[in-house]
Amino acid sequence: MRNLTEARANPEVVRTKNFVADATAFIINLARKALDERGEFRIALSGGNTPRPVYAEVARLGHDLPWNKFLITFGDERCVPPEDEQSNYRMARETLLSAANVPPESVLRMRGELDPPIAAQEYQDALDLRASQRGEPIYRHDLMLLGLGEDGHTASLFPGTAALEETKRRVVENFVPKFNSWRLTCTFPLINQARHVCFLLNASKHADLVERVLQGDLQYPASRVQPSSGNLTWILGQAA
């Protein structure tokens, strides 16, 4: 039986046949807005194949952006070295970071090669430090990009895993039985502090699932993404 939330903020849902172009424009426009308002742009990247062409286009069209005023983080990471083909960091480096000549100091990667609890704590500490330098109680992303798996997971918050119930820690190690492996992931307490959260996905791939998540079906972790004082957008690619 579906467990639906009784009250749920209405996200902005963009259904587009020009997915890459629209997603790219969304990211660049939000970056310019944040830079104008706060002098920096904090973006968390998602992994997977869907955002790959978007990152490449952001690098191409954003050549004039002040990348030294960005802080690029990651919503999750596999527990592998940065050169591993499964690494989210490697995908971002190949599509965006190298192509745009993003300076190393503008990138904070999750160190998947470390022992998972150590890597998770290190990442949380790094975000906490940046928040404290700004006098903030918690690190707030200007934009957190997320994807959606066919089981309803987002970041590395998989159904039935311990990280779903985390209420205090902002970055954790999470064992995923279906893959028999550990992941590093941001948790809902951090994700829902973002000024803007955006799901990027090919809607034709998960059309029914998307509708159930949008309705608030809590059996799917992605339904629990509800920014407490920010905006939520879904950009859904449609068949041409």
Side-chain angles (χ1 to χ4, degrees):
M1 180 181 295
R2 291 192 299 173
N3 181 9
L4 301 181
T5 55
E6 293 182 0
R8 183 174 177 82
N10 291 325
E12 177 188 19
V13 180
V14 179
R15 303 179 190 274
T16 174
K17 295 180 180 179
N18 300 301
F19 174 74
V20 173
D22 287 348
T24 299
F26 175 84
I27 293 169
I28 291 178
N29 289 341
L30 206 58
R32 296 193 191 282
K33 181 174 182 288
L35 289 164
D36 287 344
E37 292 178 353
R38 290 179 293 280
E40 69 174 353
F41 182 53
R42 300 171 172 181
I43 179 173
L45 303 182
S46 61
N49 289 319
T50 301
R52 182 184 290 269
V54 176
Y55 296 164
E57 191 68 354
V58 169
R60 187 180 74 85
L61 295 181
H63 55 84
D64 63 334
L65 289 170
W67 293 101
N68 62 315
K69 295 182 179 180
F70 277 58
L71 182 59
I72 297 173
T73 58
F74 293 82
D76 72 320
E77 182 58 278
R78 296 170 173 86
C79 290
V80 296
E83 296 300 327
D84 192 282
E85 63 181 11
Q86 295 186 53
S87 166
N88 288 340
Y89 169 78
R90 175 178 169 173
M91 187 274 278
R93 187 193 67 217
E94 291 174 348
T95 56
L96 173 61
L97 307 179
S98 295
N101 293 315
V102 177
E105 57 270 22
S106 291
V107 183
L108 183 63
R109 75 173 181 89
M110 291 179 164
R111 297 209 287 166
E113 69 272 24
L114 300 183
D115 187 50
I118 293 174
Q121 187 63 53
E122 177 187 82
Y123 210 69
Q124 177 171 303
D125 289 347
L127 295 179
D128 286 349
L129 174 62
R130 284 160 175 79
S132 67
Q133 289 171 340
R134 286 268 181 160
E136 302 167 346
I138 188 172
Y139 186 89
R140 293 192 71 191
H141 289 91
D142 293 304
L143 174 60
M144 174 162 276
L145 298 175
L146 294 174
L148 179 68
E150 55 190 35
D151 58 359
H153 83 266
T154 192
S156 280
L157 298 165
F158 287 81
T161 59
L164 296 183
E165 307 312 317
E166 184 59 53
T167 59
K168 294 183 179 179
R169 295 173 64 198
R170 294 171 286 286
V171 183
V172 299
E173 68 282 6
N174 196 30
F175 185 72
V176 184
K178 69 183 291 185
F179 299 127
N180 192 33
S181 64
W182 288 90
R183 299 283 186 93
L184 304 173
T185 188
C186 294
T187 61
F188 293 120
L190 181 64
I191 292 171
N192 286 329
Q193 284 295 318
R195 293 184 174 91
H196 211 128
V197 179
C198 181
F199 282 88
L200 298 177
L201 62 146
N202 181 342
S204 61
K205 186 178 177 182
H206 303 306
D208 292 340
L209 173 61
V210 169
E211 293 308 314
R212 296 185 71 177
V213 171
L214 287 171
Q215 290 172 19
D217 191 334
L218 295 180
Q219 71 174 299
Y220 302 113
S223 294
R224 295 170 61 177
V225 174
Q226 294 243 20
S228 57
S229 57
N231 298 311
L232 176 59
T233 299
W234 289 70
I235 301 180
L236 308 178
Q238 309 285 298

